[in-house]
Amino acid sequence: DTAVSQTPKYLVTQMGNDKSIKCEQNLGHDTMYWYKQDSKKFLKIMFSYNNKELIINETVPNRFSPKSPDKAHLNLHINSLELGDSAVYFCASSQVPGGGQPQHFGDGTRLSIL
Amino acid sequence: AQSVSQHNHHVILSEAASLELGCNYSYGGTVNLFWYVQYPGQHLQLLLKYFSGDPLVKGIKGFEAEFIKSKFSFNLRKPSVQWSDTAEYFCAVNPLNTDKLIFGTGTRLQVFP
């Protein structure tokens, strides 16, 4: 069974559209994250939730809105997509909060904006 | 600002060659340190981690890393690489008592048979 699963794996859409990426983990972890990996492979944290509560919110445009309906799910909704949003988005989870915990990553969602 | 530097952007080796990938970080306090690997088309996986104790840590698949506090470094090593080690390698640093994991820009390793 996949520990951290993201859907969709690929997402191609036009500028200005609104899209969502879903993430689910079956590890029983309390903390979940969203990362953005740009074309140069640079990986940067966007958000972190612990037990449905937001604990990290990096400098991300407010077009990006995470939602955690329960601690096993952390979805990412993006409004008014822009060309610069093209990237691979990774979801991750860890047992407890704190960047010191090993994180388990999903397979990524490759978002391409036309 | 806290940052992680991986100076080797792209490394090309033949099988059985030895590997050392550099990682330096800028943070004066205590840190937890990680190396993650991303095989082509796959997600990141933890290779090894350092929290405290013996500065030489061993990870999966024959990898090891040495934490040198005075040099703010956490270099990754493997005595003899295999073709299957072809991947992107990321160093990551967690300043203690923060929730952040700061990644380096990654090193692409290509191993040829």
Side-chain angles (χ1 to χ4, degrees), chain A residues 9 33 35 37 40-43 45 55-56 58 90 97-108, chain B residues 32 34 36 38 41-46 49 51 88 90 93-94 98-106:
Chain A
K9 192 162 182 167
Y33 311 81
Y35 288 87
Q37 187 178 46
K40 295 182 181 178
K41 297 281 189 177
F42 183 56
L43 198 66
I45 183 99
I55 55 173
I56 292 177
E58 287 296 286
F90 284 98
Q101 296 298 317
Q103 295 182 16
H104 297 255
F105 286 80
D107 288 337
Chain B
N32 297 314
F34 304 82
Y36 283 84
Q38 186 178 23
Q42 294 188 28
H43 58 268
L44 279 85
Q45 302 170 43
L46 183 67
K49 61 184 186 289
F51 287 171
E88 193 91 21
F90 293 91
V93 173
N94 160 238
T98 73
D99 291 322
K100 291 187 182 179
L101 189 60
I102 303 162
F103 282 87
T105 49

Short mmCIF file of all heavy atoms in Angstrom, two decimals, chain A residues 9 33 35 37 40-43 45 55-56 58 90 97-108, chain B residues 32 34 36 38 41-46 49 51 88 90 93-94 98-106:
data_model
loop_
_atom_site.label_atom_id
_atom_site.label_comp_id
_atom_site.label_asym_id
_atom_site.label_seq_id
_atom_site.Cartn_x
_atom_site.Cartn_y
_atom_site.Cartn_z
N LYS A 9 -1.34 12.66 -10.68
CA LYS A 9 0.10 12.61 -10.86
C LYS A 9 0.56 13.69 -11.85
O LYS A 9 1.64 14.25 -11.70
CB LYS A 9 0.50 11.23 -11.38
CG LYS A 9 2.00 10.99 -11.33
CD LYS A 9 2.32 9.51 -11.41
CE LYS A 9 3.83 9.33 -11.29
NZ LYS A 9 4.22 7.94 -11.07
N TYR A 33 2.75 18.00 5.00
CA TYR A 33 3.45 19.13 4.39
C TYR A 33 3.13 19.21 2.90
O TYR A 33 2.86 18.19 2.25
CB TYR A 33 4.96 18.96 4.52
CG TYR A 33 5.49 18.61 5.89
CD1 TYR A 33 5.45 17.30 6.37
CD2 TYR A 33 6.05 19.58 6.72
CE1 TYR A 33 5.94 16.97 7.61
CE2 TYR A 33 6.55 19.26 7.97
CZ TYR A 33 6.49 17.94 8.41
OH TYR A 33 6.98 17.62 9.65
N TYR A 35 5.34 20.73 -0.44
CA TYR A 35 6.57 21.31 -0.95
C TYR A 35 6.39 21.62 -2.43
O TYR A 35 5.66 20.93 -3.13
CB TYR A 35 7.74 20.33 -0.82
CG TYR A 35 8.25 20.09 0.56
CD1 TYR A 35 7.69 19.12 1.39
CD2 TYR A 35 9.33 20.82 1.06
CE1 TYR A 35 8.17 18.89 2.66
CE2 TYR A 35 9.83 20.59 2.34
CZ TYR A 35 9.24 19.63 3.12
OH TYR A 35 9.73 19.40 4.38
N GLN A 37 8.74 21.91 -5.90
CA GLN A 37 10.05 21.68 -6.50
C GLN A 37 10.07 22.32 -7.88
O GLN A 37 9.31 21.92 -8.76
CB GLN A 37 10.34 20.18 -6.62
CG GLN A 37 11.75 19.87 -7.09
CD GLN A 37 12.04 18.37 -7.15
OE1 GLN A 37 11.23 17.59 -7.66
NE2 GLN A 37 13.18 17.96 -6.64
N LYS A 40 14.58 23.71 -11.47
CA LYS A 40 15.98 23.45 -11.11
C LYS A 40 16.10 22.48 -9.95
O LYS A 40 17.16 22.35 -9.34
CB LYS A 40 16.68 24.77 -10.76
CG LYS A 40 16.78 25.71 -11.95
CD LYS A 40 17.51 26.99 -11.62
CE LYS A 40 17.57 27.89 -12.84
NZ LYS A 40 18.23 29.17 -12.56
N LYS A 41 15.01 21.80 -9.63
CA LYS A 41 14.98 20.77 -8.60
C LYS A 41 15.05 21.35 -7.18
O LYS A 41 15.22 20.58 -6.23
CB LYS A 41 16.10 19.74 -8.78
CG LYS A 41 16.00 18.95 -10.07
CD LYS A 41 14.97 17.87 -9.96
CE LYS A 41 15.01 16.94 -11.15
NZ LYS A 41 14.07 15.84 -11.03
N PHE A 42 14.96 22.67 -7.04
CA PHE A 42 15.00 23.25 -5.71
C PHE A 42 13.69 22.97 -4.99
O PHE A 42 12.61 23.28 -5.50
CB PHE A 42 15.26 24.75 -5.80
CG PHE A 42 15.40 25.41 -4.48
CD1 PHE A 42 16.34 24.97 -3.55
CD2 PHE A 42 14.59 26.47 -4.12
CE1 PHE A 42 16.47 25.58 -2.31
CE2 PHE A 42 14.70 27.08 -2.88
CZ PHE A 42 15.65 26.64 -1.98
N LEU A 43 13.81 22.41 -3.79
CA LEU A 43 12.64 21.96 -3.03
C LEU A 43 12.40 22.91 -1.87
O LEU A 43 13.28 23.09 -1.04
CB LEU A 43 12.91 20.55 -2.51
CG LEU A 43 11.75 19.69 -2.06
CD1 LEU A 43 10.86 19.36 -3.23
CD2 LEU A 43 12.27 18.42 -1.43
N ILE A 45 9.60 24.27 1.25
CA ILE A 45 8.36 24.04 2.01
C ILE A 45 7.37 25.16 1.70
O ILE A 45 7.73 26.32 1.53
CB ILE A 45 8.64 24.00 3.52
CG1 ILE A 45 7.36 23.70 4.29
CG2 ILE A 45 9.25 25.30 4.02
CD1 ILE A 45 7.20 22.30 4.69
N ILE A 55 0.70 25.02 10.86
CA ILE A 55 1.83 25.39 11.70
C ILE A 55 2.95 26.07 10.91
O ILE A 55 3.76 26.78 11.47
CB ILE A 55 2.41 24.19 12.49
CG1 ILE A 55 2.78 23.02 11.59
CG2 ILE A 55 1.44 23.75 13.56
CD1 ILE A 55 3.50 21.90 12.35
N ILE A 56 3.03 25.83 9.63
CA ILE A 56 4.00 26.55 8.79
C ILE A 56 3.26 27.11 7.59
O ILE A 56 2.51 26.41 6.93
CB ILE A 56 5.14 25.65 8.28
CG1 ILE A 56 6.04 25.21 9.42
CG2 ILE A 56 5.98 26.38 7.23
CD1 ILE A 56 7.16 24.26 8.98
N GLU A 58 4.77 29.40 4.68
CA GLU A 58 5.86 30.18 4.12
C GLU A 58 5.29 31.27 3.22
O GLU A 58 4.09 31.36 3.01
CB GLU A 58 6.80 29.28 3.33
CG GLU A 58 7.66 28.40 4.22
CD GLU A 58 8.61 29.21 5.08
OE1 GLU A 58 9.60 29.73 4.55
OE2 GLU A 58 8.36 29.32 6.29
N PHE A 90 5.07 18.26 -4.02
CA PHE A 90 5.19 17.05 -3.22
C PHE A 90 4.47 17.22 -1.90
O PHE A 90 4.63 18.23 -1.20
CB PHE A 90 6.66 16.73 -2.92
CG PHE A 90 7.42 16.16 -4.08
CD1 PHE A 90 8.20 16.96 -4.86
CD2 PHE A 90 7.33 14.81 -4.37
CE1 PHE A 90 8.91 16.45 -5.94
CE2 PHE A 90 8.03 14.27 -5.44
CZ PHE A 90 8.82 15.10 -6.23
N PRO A 97 5.20 16.86 14.60
CA PRO A 97 5.73 18.07 13.97
C PRO A 97 7.21 18.25 14.25
O PRO A 97 7.77 17.59 15.11
CB PRO A 97 4.93 19.21 14.60
CG PRO A 97 4.16 18.63 15.70
CD PRO A 97 4.22 17.14 15.62
N GLY A 98 7.78 19.18 13.51
CA GLY A 98 9.21 19.42 13.71
C GLY A 98 9.96 18.92 12.51
O GLY A 98 9.83 17.78 12.11
N GLY A 99 10.74 19.80 11.92
CA GLY A 99 11.48 19.39 10.74
C GLY A 99 12.50 18.31 11.03
O GLY A 99 13.09 17.76 10.12
N GLY A 100 12.72 18.00 12.30
CA GLY A 100 13.69 16.97 12.65
C GLY A 100 13.20 15.56 12.48
O GLY A 100 13.96 14.61 12.61
N GLN A 101 11.92 15.41 12.19
CA GLN A 101 11.39 14.07 12.00
C GLN A 101 11.56 13.64 10.56
O GLN A 101 11.32 14.43 9.64
CB GLN A 101 9.90 14.05 12.35
CG GLN A 101 9.63 14.37 13.81
CD GLN A 101 10.25 13.34 14.72
OE1 GLN A 101 10.18 12.15 14.46
NE2 GLN A 101 10.86 13.79 15.80
N PRO A 102 11.98 12.41 10.30
CA PRO A 102 12.05 11.93 8.91
C PRO A 102 10.68 12.07 8.25
O PRO A 102 9.65 11.76 8.86
CB PRO A 102 12.43 10.46 9.06
CG PRO A 102 13.13 10.38 10.38
CD PRO A 102 12.44 11.38 11.26
N GLN A 103 10.70 12.55 7.04
CA GLN A 103 9.45 12.78 6.34
C GLN A 103 9.29 11.76 5.22
O GLN A 103 10.25 11.37 4.57
CB GLN A 103 9.43 14.20 5.77
CG GLN A 103 9.44 15.25 6.88
CD GLN A 103 9.36 16.67 6.38
OE1 GLN A 103 9.00 16.92 5.24
NE2 GLN A 103 9.68 17.61 7.24
N HIS A 104 8.06 11.36 5.03
CA HIS A 104 7.71 10.40 3.97
C HIS A 104 7.02 11.17 2.86
O HIS A 104 6.03 11.86 3.11
CB HIS A 104 6.80 9.31 4.53
CG HIS A 104 7.45 8.48 5.60
ND1 HIS A 104 7.90 7.20 5.38
CD2 HIS A 104 7.75 8.76 6.89
CE1 HIS A 104 8.44 6.73 6.48
NE2 HIS A 104 8.37 7.65 7.41
N PHE A 105 7.54 11.04 1.66
CA PHE A 105 7.05 11.84 0.55
C PHE A 105 6.14 11.04 -0.37
O PHE A 105 6.29 9.84 -0.55
CB PHE A 105 8.23 12.38 -0.27
CG PHE A 105 8.96 13.50 0.41
CD1 PHE A 105 9.89 13.25 1.39
CD2 PHE A 105 8.70 14.83 0.06
CE1 PHE A 105 10.56 14.29 2.04
CE2 PHE A 105 9.37 15.87 0.68
CZ PHE A 105 10.29 15.60 1.67
N GLY A 106 5.21 11.78 -0.99
CA GLY A 106 4.41 11.21 -2.06
C GLY A 106 5.20 11.25 -3.37
O GLY A 106 6.34 11.72 -3.40
N ASP A 107 4.58 10.75 -4.43
CA ASP A 107 5.26 10.65 -5.73
C ASP A 107 5.30 11.97 -6.48
O ASP A 107 5.94 12.07 -7.52
CB ASP A 107 4.59 9.60 -6.61
CG ASP A 107 4.86 8.19 -6.11
OD1 ASP A 107 5.87 8.00 -5.41
OD2 ASP A 107 4.07 7.28 -6.43
N GLY A 108 4.59 12.97 -5.98
CA GLY A 108 4.62 14.27 -6.64
C GLY A 108 3.49 14.45 -7.65
O GLY A 108 2.98 13.48 -8.21
N ASN B 32 19.60 19.15 13.07
CA ASN B 32 19.44 17.77 12.64
C ASN B 32 19.72 17.75 11.13
O ASN B 32 19.37 18.70 10.43
CB ASN B 32 18.01 17.28 12.89
CG ASN B 32 17.67 17.28 14.37
OD1 ASN B 32 18.45 16.81 15.20
ND2 ASN B 32 16.50 17.80 14.71
N PHE B 34 20.01 15.55 7.30
CA PHE B 34 19.44 14.45 6.51
C PHE B 34 20.05 14.43 5.11
O PHE B 34 20.45 15.46 4.58
CB PHE B 34 17.92 14.65 6.33
CG PHE B 34 17.15 14.79 7.62
CD1 PHE B 34 17.07 16.01 8.26
CD2 PHE B 34 16.48 13.70 8.16
CE1 PHE B 34 16.36 16.15 9.44
CE2 PHE B 34 15.75 13.84 9.33
CZ PHE B 34 15.70 15.06 9.97
N TYR B 36 18.44 12.86 1.52
CA TYR B 36 17.35 12.20 0.82
C TYR B 36 17.79 11.89 -0.60
O TYR B 36 18.62 12.61 -1.18
CB TYR B 36 16.11 13.10 0.75
CG TYR B 36 15.30 13.19 2.04
CD1 TYR B 36 15.65 14.09 3.05
CD2 TYR B 36 14.19 12.38 2.24
CE1 TYR B 36 14.90 14.17 4.21
CE2 TYR B 36 13.43 12.45 3.40
CZ TYR B 36 13.80 13.36 4.38
OH TYR B 36 13.05 13.44 5.53
N GLN B 38 16.28 10.89 -4.59
CA GLN B 38 15.12 10.86 -5.48
C GLN B 38 15.53 10.12 -6.75
O GLN B 38 16.24 10.67 -7.60
CB GLN B 38 14.65 12.28 -5.80
CG GLN B 38 13.36 12.35 -6.59
CD GLN B 38 12.90 13.78 -6.83
OE1 GLN B 38 13.69 14.73 -6.78
NE2 GLN B 38 11.62 13.96 -7.08
N GLY B 41 11.88 9.70 -11.58
CA GLY B 41 10.43 9.51 -11.60
C GLY B 41 9.82 9.07 -10.29
O GLY B 41 8.64 8.71 -10.24
N GLN B 42 10.60 9.09 -9.23
CA GLN B 42 10.08 8.62 -7.94
C GLN B 42 10.08 9.74 -6.89
O GLN B 42 10.55 10.84 -7.12
CB GLN B 42 10.91 7.45 -7.43
CG GLN B 42 10.81 6.21 -8.31
CD GLN B 42 11.50 5.02 -7.65
OE1 GLN B 42 11.60 4.92 -6.43
NE2 GLN B 42 11.96 4.10 -8.48
N HIS B 43 9.55 9.40 -5.73
CA HIS B 43 9.50 10.38 -4.65
C HIS B 43 10.81 10.36 -3.85
O HIS B 43 11.63 9.46 -4.02
CB HIS B 43 8.32 10.08 -3.72
CG HIS B 43 8.38 8.70 -3.13
ND1 HIS B 43 7.77 7.61 -3.71
CD2 HIS B 43 8.97 8.24 -2.01
CE1 HIS B 43 7.98 6.55 -2.98
NE2 HIS B 43 8.70 6.89 -1.93
N LEU B 44 10.97 11.35 -3.03
CA LEU B 44 12.15 11.41 -2.16
C LEU B 44 12.08 10.33 -1.10
O LEU B 44 11.03 10.05 -0.54
CB LEU B 44 12.24 12.76 -1.46
CG LEU B 44 12.83 13.90 -2.27
CD1 LEU B 44 11.77 14.55 -3.10
CD2 LEU B 44 13.48 14.92 -1.35
N GLN B 45 13.24 9.73 -0.83
CA GLN B 45 13.32 8.72 0.22
C GLN B 45 14.48 9.08 1.14
O GLN B 45 15.50 9.59 0.68
CB GLN B 45 13.60 7.34 -0.38
CG GLN B 45 12.59 6.87 -1.39
CD GLN B 45 13.05 5.63 -2.11
OE1 GLN B 45 13.59 4.70 -1.51
NE2 GLN B 45 12.86 5.59 -3.41
N LEU B 46 14.33 8.78 2.40
CA LEU B 46 15.38 9.06 3.36
C LEU B 46 16.53 8.09 3.19
O LEU B 46 16.34 6.88 3.20
CB LEU B 46 14.82 8.97 4.78
CG LEU B 46 15.77 9.31 5.91
CD1 LEU B 46 16.12 10.79 5.87
CD2 LEU B 46 15.15 8.95 7.25
N LYS B 49 20.19 9.90 8.46
CA LYS B 49 19.95 11.10 9.27
C LYS B 49 20.95 11.15 10.41
O LYS B 49 21.46 10.13 10.85
CB LYS B 49 18.52 11.11 9.82
CG LYS B 49 18.19 9.94 10.73
CD LYS B 49 16.75 9.96 11.15
CE LYS B 49 16.44 8.89 12.17
NZ LYS B 49 16.45 7.53 11.62
N PHE B 51 21.19 13.01 14.24
CA PHE B 51 20.58 13.82 15.28
C PHE B 51 21.61 14.19 16.34
O PHE B 51 21.72 15.35 16.75
CB PHE B 51 19.40 13.09 15.95
CG PHE B 51 18.16 13.00 15.08
CD1 PHE B 51 17.09 12.22 15.46
CD2 PHE B 51 18.07 13.69 13.88
CE1 PHE B 51 15.94 12.13 14.66
CE2 PHE B 51 16.93 13.61 13.08
CZ PHE B 51 15.87 12.82 13.48
N GLU B 88 18.93 11.82 -7.93
CA GLU B 88 19.17 13.17 -7.41
C GLU B 88 19.30 13.04 -5.90
O GLU B 88 18.48 12.37 -5.24
CB GLU B 88 17.98 14.06 -7.77
CG GLU B 88 18.20 15.53 -7.59
CD GLU B 88 18.73 16.22 -8.84
OE1 GLU B 88 18.57 15.67 -9.94
OE2 GLU B 88 19.32 17.30 -8.70
N PHE B 90 19.64 14.97 -2.18
CA PHE B 90 19.34 16.23 -1.50
C PHE B 90 19.81 16.16 -0.05
O PHE B 90 19.46 15.24 0.68
CB PHE B 90 17.83 16.50 -1.50
CG PHE B 90 17.26 16.78 -2.86
CD1 PHE B 90 16.76 15.75 -3.64
CD2 PHE B 90 17.21 18.08 -3.35
CE1 PHE B 90 16.23 15.99 -4.89
CE2 PHE B 90 16.68 18.33 -4.61
CZ PHE B 90 16.19 17.28 -5.38
N VAL B 93 18.52 20.24 6.20
CA VAL B 93 18.91 20.65 7.55
C VAL B 93 17.68 21.12 8.31
O VAL B 93 16.88 21.89 7.78
CB VAL B 93 19.94 21.80 7.47
CG1 VAL B 93 20.22 22.36 8.86
CG2 VAL B 93 21.22 21.32 6.82
N ASN B 94 17.56 20.67 9.54
CA ASN B 94 16.51 21.16 10.42
C ASN B 94 17.16 21.86 11.60
O ASN B 94 17.75 21.19 12.46
CB ASN B 94 15.65 19.99 10.89
CG ASN B 94 14.85 20.31 12.14
OD1 ASN B 94 14.97 19.65 13.18
ND2 ASN B 94 14.01 21.33 12.07
N THR B 98 12.89 24.15 15.54
CA THR B 98 12.07 24.78 14.50
C THR B 98 11.34 23.66 13.76
O THR B 98 11.71 22.49 13.85
CB THR B 98 12.89 25.59 13.48
OG1 THR B 98 13.60 24.67 12.63
CG2 THR B 98 13.88 26.52 14.16
N ASP B 99 10.31 24.04 13.05
CA ASP B 99 9.54 23.06 12.30
C ASP B 99 10.03 22.93 10.86
O ASP B 99 9.47 22.17 10.09
CB ASP B 99 8.06 23.45 12.29
CG ASP B 99 7.43 23.30 13.66
OD1 ASP B 99 7.77 22.33 14.35
OD2 ASP B 99 6.62 24.17 14.04
N LYS B 100 11.07 23.65 10.51
CA LYS B 100 11.44 23.72 9.10
C LYS B 100 12.49 22.69 8.72
O LYS B 100 13.39 22.38 9.49
CB LYS B 100 11.98 25.11 8.78
CG LYS B 100 10.95 26.19 8.83
CD LYS B 100 11.52 27.50 8.34
CE LYS B 100 10.48 28.58 8.45
NZ LYS B 100 11.02 29.87 8.00
N LEU B 101 12.35 22.18 7.51
CA LEU B 101 13.37 21.35 6.89
C LEU B 101 13.83 22.10 5.65
O LEU B 101 13.03 22.32 4.73
CB LEU B 101 12.79 19.98 6.53
CG LEU B 101 13.77 18.91 6.08
CD1 LEU B 101 14.81 18.63 7.15
CD2 LEU B 101 13.03 17.63 5.72
N ILE B 102 15.09 22.51 5.65
CA ILE B 102 15.61 23.33 4.57
C ILE B 102 16.44 22.44 3.66
O ILE B 102 17.41 21.82 4.10
CB ILE B 102 16.46 24.48 5.12
CG1 ILE B 102 15.62 25.30 6.10
CG2 ILE B 102 16.98 25.37 3.98
CD1 ILE B 102 16.44 26.17 7.01
N PHE B 103 16.07 22.40 2.39
CA PHE B 103 16.75 21.53 1.44
C PHE B 103 17.83 22.28 0.67
O PHE B 103 17.71 23.47 0.38
CB PHE B 103 15.75 20.96 0.43
CG PHE B 103 14.92 19.81 0.97
CD1 PHE B 103 13.75 20.06 1.66
CD2 PHE B 103 15.33 18.51 0.78
CE1 PHE B 103 12.99 19.00 2.16
CE2 PHE B 103 14.57 17.45 1.27
CZ PHE B 103 13.40 17.70 1.96
N GLY B 104 18.87 21.55 0.30
CA GLY B 104 19.83 22.05 -0.66
C GLY B 104 19.27 21.93 -2.06
O GLY B 104 18.17 21.39 -2.25
N THR B 105 20.01 22.41 -3.02
CA THR B 105 19.52 22.43 -4.41
C THR B 105 19.67 21.09 -5.11
O THR B 105 19.26 20.95 -6.25
CB THR B 105 20.23 23.51 -5.22
OG1 THR B 105 21.63 23.37 -5.01
CG2 THR B 105 19.80 24.91 -4.78
N GLY B 106 20.28 20.14 -4.45
CA GLY B 106 20.35 18.81 -5.03
C GLY B 106 21.60 18.60 -5.87
O GLY B 106 22.17 19.53 -6.44
#
